Amino acid sequence: MTGVDSTGRPQPFDFHARLIPGPDEPGRLLAAMDRAGIGRAAVCAGGLLPLDRLAEQLNDGGRTETEADNEGVRAACERSGGRLLPFYFADPVRDVDAYGKNAVDFRGLEISPAVHGIRLDDTGVIELVDIAASAGHPVYVVTVAQPGARAIDLVRLAARFPDVTFVWGHCGHTGLDVAGLRTLAGRPNVLAELSGCLTVTARLAVARLGASRVLFGTEYPLQQPEVELCKVAALDLVPEDRSAVLGANARRVLGEEP
């Protein structure tokens, strides 16, 4: 059975990995998952811009015109034997129609203020989330420091779409956005994804949001999956909460059974 270990127990479910265009995928990701004991993963296009440029845009804002290889992600997931679930990485400026036409082939949506330089109240963002609502897709967003794309702006967007599940990627972009956790705590349709954040932030995410609103992710290939598994282990969660964070919550959000 896909996603279980030799005893029949569910393996960790990575809610956030990326696929870089090229012939090595999905084999390289699947091999990394096997080494770490991860059963399944939600994946999105990566490699849209160099890391130096991404870092600059995280700090100062900006926009890339590079198109995400969403079709490549879909095709790679189709070759994965059910282990990889594709997310559509949408540019709100030009991808609204394309996402609307192809949403049925994907399992979620990613919107990135850092990559595409948008505000979360932009018309294109609202149109994309409206499509996600119709498709039953969760929406993954990493907030940044620019006006219109902060944690409070994600709260406002989530309040406008109370039936959509939003996922706050990396618990913000700094690794230590505990103020953002406080901002999001009262908005129940926003969950926090842990990849890249500090252990103290991950621990506060569970304490402030509850384990049912926290998701394990790796940000592969920028992070080794084993590092993120060690972080969850360091939280010393009770077994029920650990199971929720490592997979049960992801399966619930994505409509997947253990």
Side-chain angles (χ1 to χ4, degrees):
M1 181 179 177
T2 300
V4 298
D5 63 19
S6 59
T7 69
R9 293 178 298 188
Q11 294 176 295
F13 193 126
D14 179 358
F15 197 84
H16 186 64
R18 295 195 183 277
L19 285 176
I20 306 299
D24 294 336
E25 298 293 8
R28 195 164 67 117
L29 169 55
L30 293 172
M33 290 166 61
D34 288 340
R35 288 192 297 270
I38 294 170
R40 305 183 76 189
V43 299
C44 202
L48 272 71
L49 67 172
L51 289 180
D52 285 344
R53 170 83 179 276
L54 177 59
E56 290 171 358
Q57 292 188 186
L58 281 167
N59 289 329
D60 305 322
R63 169 179 170 79
T64 182
E65 297 293 338
T66 305
E67 293 187 26
D69 184 16
N70 290 303
E71 174 55 25
V73 168
R74 185 207 61 76
C77 290
E78 195 172 68
R79 300 192 301 270
S80 73
R83 295 184 67 187
L84 305 180
L85 284 66
F87 271 45
Y88 194 100
F89 197 156
D91 178 352
V93 174
R94 62 187 176 197
D95 285 341
V96 173
D97 289 343
Y99 176 52
K101 292 175 181 176
N102 294 288
V104 67
D105 295 324
F106 291 82
R107 301 297 300 276
L109 170 69
E110 178 173 1
I111 298 168
S112 177
V115 171
H116 292 123
I118 45 86
R119 295 173 54 98
L120 295 179
D121 56 2
D122 285 348
T123 299
V125 170
I126 303 304
E127 292 174 340
L128 287 170
V129 177
D130 195 46
I131 296 167
S134 298
H137 286 172
V139 179
Y140 184 94
V141 182
V142 180
T143 56
V144 294
Q146 281 75 49
R150 299 170 176 167
I152 187 61
D153 302 297
L154 179 57
V155 167
R156 291 171 181 142
L157 180 62
R160 184 166 181 170
F161 293 93
D163 295 327
V164 173
T165 298
F166 291 83
V167 177
W168 189 41
H170 313 319
C171 287
H173 74 289
T174 67
L176 191 60
D177 192 0
V178 296
L181 283 172
R182 184 178 64 246
T183 299
L184 295 165
R187 191 65 251 167
N189 60 321
V190 180
L191 282 63
E193 184 268 323
L194 300 179
S195 65
C197 75
L198 298 177
T199 305
V200 66
T201 310
R203 186 172 288 114
L204 282 171
V206 175
R208 293 181 178 182
L209 306 184
S212 66
R213 291 175 59 191
V214 178
L215 296 160
F216 163 72
T218 67
E219 184 62 356
Y220 167 94
L222 298 185
Q223 178 75 299
Q224 289 297 117
E226 293 87 349
V227 173
E228 294 299 328
L229 287 167
C230 285
K231 183 167 66 184
V232 174
L235 302 181
D236 292 324
L237 302 174
V238 300
E240 182 178 359
D241 288 351
R242 186 173 183 273
S243 295
V245 171
L246 283 178
N249 294 338
R251 292 189 293 271
R252 182 186 75 244
V253 169
L254 292 165
E256 294 288 310
E257 292 297 327

